[in-house]
Amino acid sequence: MAERLPDLQGLQNMGRLSPGLYRGAMPDGTALDRLKAMGIRTVVNLRHYHGHTEEKACRERGLGYAWIQLESSDAPEDEDVRRFLTLATDPA
């Protein structure tokens, strides 16, 4: 269960899953700046659509970006799970 955190300006539904691993709704530019200031280094988008503008905004701020396109109605593919776990456990 995620530890509920106060919503940041531009990012709702924020939670800490574990030390260094957070979740939240789609961040806007203000939220990306705040996430970077918090020490977040990579944003992982798990939504099926809406990834191209987020990638540009992350890269402009020096944040890493990964897009794993998951369907909300289907189980994820093993490759997608492995990729997420690799990203989530990489200290860089």
Side-chain angles (χ1 to χ4, degrees), residues 6-92:
D7 291 337
L8 299 176
Q9 182 179 354
L11 176 64
Q12 287 72 49
N13 202 18
M14 178 90 174
R16 181 181 5 253
L17 301 172
S18 66
L21 186 63
Y22 300 84
R23 59 123 11 249
M26 183 178 98
D28 67 12
T30 301
L32 289 173
D33 293 335
R34 180 72 178 117
L35 292 173
K36 185 173 182 177
M38 290 172 57
I40 305 292
R41 293 182 298 267
T42 304
V43 172
V44 179
N45 178 0
L46 299 175
R47 294 173 303 139
H48 187 74
Y49 301 104
H50 313 293
H52 299 291
T53 56
E54 288 174 347
E55 180 175 12
K56 182 176 185 268
C58 286
R59 303 278 184 220
E60 288 172 347
R61 290 164 173 80
L63 293 167
Y65 178 83
W67 188 10
I68 303 172
Q69 298 179 13
L70 300 181
E71 289 280 354
S72 61
S73 59
D74 297 331
E77 298 290 328
D78 289 347
E79 178 181 328
D80 293 329
V81 173
R82 280 191 292 276
R83 183 169 176 225
F84 175 79
L85 291 173
T86 298
L87 289 163
T89 59
D90 181 353

